[in-house]
Amino acid sequence: MNILMLSSTFPYPPTRGGTQVRTFNLLKYLSQRHTVTLATQREGDVTEAELAGLRDCVDHLAIFERPPDSATTGIFQKIQRFGRFLQQGTPPSVLNRYSVEMQTWVDNWVEAGKCDLITCEHSVNEIYVRSHYQKQLKTIVNVHSSVYATCRNQLAIGISENSLRDKINLPLLHRYEQNYCAKFSAIVATTEEDKIQLQEFNPNSEITVIPNGVDLVSFPNRTTDPEGHRLIFIGAMDNLANIDAVCFFSNEVLPEIQKLYPDTIFDIVGSHPAPAVLALDQKLGINVIGRVPSMVEYLHQATICVVPMRTGFGIKNKTLEAMAAGIPVVASDRGLEGLAVDGASHTLRALRANKPAEYVTAISKLFEHPHLRSELSHNGRQLVETEFTWDIAGKSYEQVCLGRK
């Protein structure tokens, strides 16, 4: 097949985290079997070496400059953007990344008949797919997480950046998600929870759940347990859900852990730490490390990986990567979404915690019991090997592309 993949996020190297990991690995799988063209945007920190690396992964790479961020403009522009959202139905977060140049290129590519299929990697790229494309070729949207469900969840737990704005936006996001999904021949979600949400909007849509995966070569199982009292969180640190997670853990959980284990260290590892995250570096026992060449090296040094997410839908790469590396995981319901890790019918693969006291109990249990750490390390790795590799995800995605279940 001739496949056109759209990703306004530059998906290389895959160590950048977030949406890039899923996009890159699905792209890599499809490009081994099909002719893949990628249209993407180049951000300021993308190097020539990274451009060359991505170009080697596809048959054709179309690069566009990312439009300047208009999110920080004045009140008049914000009102103007909201007016467009109200009238046209497209959120400012999508319009902010919209490139007229990229749109023209996509239109010309489709009109010239150069592709049999378009995939939108992350729903933000739906804007480039015209409604009439469906009559000419297959169109797929790979929804990494429901924007409506995410906004609703952030409002519910009180971590919205602007609650008044989001309360106004919520019904508009409901309408937006319902409308854009109707443009696609097939929809891909990462979890059953997201599928249920998207099916509610589009009862007649073909929706397939394809979880995230892990590159087992990049995340080898650790050979020894470092013991000690070292905790780690990994992820892009300019992401709102990750910022909330580390702030919540640092302020409400870690001090209680340090009362019991005064030498406890908490490493926060991931690119672009926001000011609220950088401020945590001043607290006792917290290291804000930022972007690193190899995440797995830091994982292997940790006693436990914590995933204290309170928002953010979909399967978390960070949880899967920690499990693949053989690191015992303590995580919230959100951090374990889409994963069968506990309960009567499953072997124990992670410990679940949502409240501060539950984290303290779970972490203390793992600090005190090496055999439990060993059990979670083994079972977590086994789960990833059997159900969550990128090869498994790639095969499923190819089946959707080919129109097979």
Side-chain angles (χ1 to χ4, degrees):
M1 296 182 76
N2 291 312
I3 301 172
L4 171 60
M5 300 184 81
L6 305 178
S7 175
S8 57
T9 304
F10 192 82
Y12 191 88
T15 51
R16 283 174 179 264
T19 62
Q20 293 96 318
V21 177
R22 183 174 174 89
T23 300
F24 173 79
N25 283 285
L26 295 177
L27 175 155
K28 182 181 170 185
Y29 185 91
L30 291 176
S31 66
Q32 292 166 6
R33 294 156 180 80
H34 305 277
T35 301
V36 174
T37 297
L38 174 68
T40 188
Q41 292 179 6
R42 178 180 183 172
E43 300 180 42
D45 61 348
V46 173
T47 66
E48 290 300 320
E50 289 169 344
L51 269 176
L54 183 57
R55 193 169 277 115
D56 286 343
C57 298
V58 293
D59 294 273
H60 182 68
L61 182 63
I63 292 283
F64 303 89
E65 294 301 319
R66 181 175 176 178
D69 190 0
S70 59
T72 55
T73 50
I75 188 69
F76 176 73
Q77 286 83 0
K78 289 180 180 178
I79 292 169
Q80 200 173 40
R81 285 202 305 273
F82 177 73
R84 287 183 70 184
F85 187 13
L86 198 61
Q87 189 176 15
Q88 299 175 13
T90 306
S93 59
V94 176
L95 290 171
N96 284 344
R97 297 201 75 142
Y98 182 65
S99 162
V100 174
E101 184 188 6
M102 185 166 161
Q103 180 72 72
T104 302
W105 184 92
V106 171
D107 288 340
N108 290 339
W109 196 262
V110 172
E111 285 168 22
K114 293 185 177 180
C115 56
D116 312 307
L117 163 73
I118 294 179
T119 75
C120 289
E121 303 306 318
H122 199 293
S123 57
V124 72
N125 298 286
E126 64 75 23
I127 194 169
Y128 296 105
V129 175
R130 311 279 192 186
S131 297
H132 67 266
Y133 283 0
Q134 252 194 93
K135 298 171 185 174
Q136 300 168 246
L137 71 170
K138 183 158 188 170
T139 53
I140 297 172
V141 61
N142 187 357
V143 182
H144 291 205
S145 61
S146 163
V147 290
Y148 167 75
T150 299
C151 181
R152 184 182 60 188
N153 176 247
Q154 288 174 355
L155 282 168
I157 64 171
I159 68 152
S160 170
E161 286 181 311
N162 187 328
S163 59
L164 177 60
R165 176 201 65 196
D166 287 348
K167 282 174 184 173
I168 295 168
N169 284 352
L170 194 61
L172 299 178
L173 288 172
H174 186 290
R175 180 185 69 176
Y176 164 68
E177 204 148 70
Q178 190 170 34
N179 289 345
Y180 87 66
C181 283
K183 296 191 297 183
F184 292 91
S185 319
I187 299 168
V188 171
T190 64
T191 66
E192 285 293 337
E193 192 170 349
D194 262 352
K195 178 180 178 177
I196 291 165
Q197 178 66 75
L198 294 165
Q199 202 91 63
E200 183 186 312
F201 292 151
N202 302 271
N204 301 318
S205 294
E206 175 195 324
I207 304 177
T208 306
V209 175
I210 301 177
N212 286 340
V214 179
D215 179 348
L216 296 177
V217 175
S218 299
F219 288 88
N221 197 2
R222 73 179 178 192
T223 53
T224 57
D225 177 353
E227 302 182 329
H229 304 132
R230 195 171 204 105
L231 306 173
I232 191 171
F233 177 93
I234 61 172
M237 292 320 307
D238 54 353
N239 173 280
L240 177 62
N242 289 343
I243 295 167
D244 173 72
V246 296
C247 289
F248 159 71
F249 188 83
S250 299
N251 294 325
E252 298 189 39
V253 180
L254 186 63
E256 299 305 310
I257 295 288
Q258 288 172 328
K259 286 178 186 175
L260 301 171
Y261 308 94
D263 63 337
T264 299
I265 299 294
F266 180 37
D267 292 328
I268 300 170
V269 186
S271 59
H272 305 117
V277 178
L278 290 171
L280 297 174
D281 197 53
Q282 306 302 314
K283 289 179 176 284
L284 178 68
I286 298 181
N287 300 319
V288 178
I289 293 166
R291 185 177 173 183
V292 294
S294 173
M295 193 72 82
V296 76
E297 289 179 20
Y298 285 85
L299 282 169
H300 282 173
Q301 293 167 19
T303 322
I304 301 166
C305 179
V306 292
V307 192
M309 313 300 292
R310 300 196 297 176
T311 185
F313 283 69
I315 284 190
K316 308 300 179 293
N317 287 328
K318 56 177 66 63
T319 306
L320 292 176
E321 288 167 356
M323 286 181 167
I327 317 306
V329 169
V330 176
S332 64
D333 292 340
R334 288 263 75 85
L336 296 171
E337 185 184 345
L339 304 177
V341 300
D342 51 13
S345 58
H346 304 291
T347 55
L348 189 64
R349 293 150 170 167
L351 298 188
R352 191 179 299 270
N354 290 292
K355 297 175 182 176
E358 294 169 348
Y359 280 102
V360 173
T361 300
I363 291 167
S364 299
K365 196 179 290 185
L366 283 168
F367 278 167
E368 297 291 341
H369 297 98
H371 69 277
L372 181 57
R373 294 200 300 273
S374 177
E375 181 186 351
L376 295 190
S377 177
H378 175 267
N379 293 346
R381 172 73 183 192
Q382 193 174 52
L383 174 68
V384 174
E385 287 178 344
T386 54
E387 296 183 34
F388 297 101
T389 67
W390 285 119
D391 195 51
I392 294 169
K395 284 176 185 172
S396 299
Y397 202 41
E398 184 182 35
Q399 293 305 301
V400 174
C401 292
L402 295 170
R404 302 170 189 157
K405 281 286 187 179

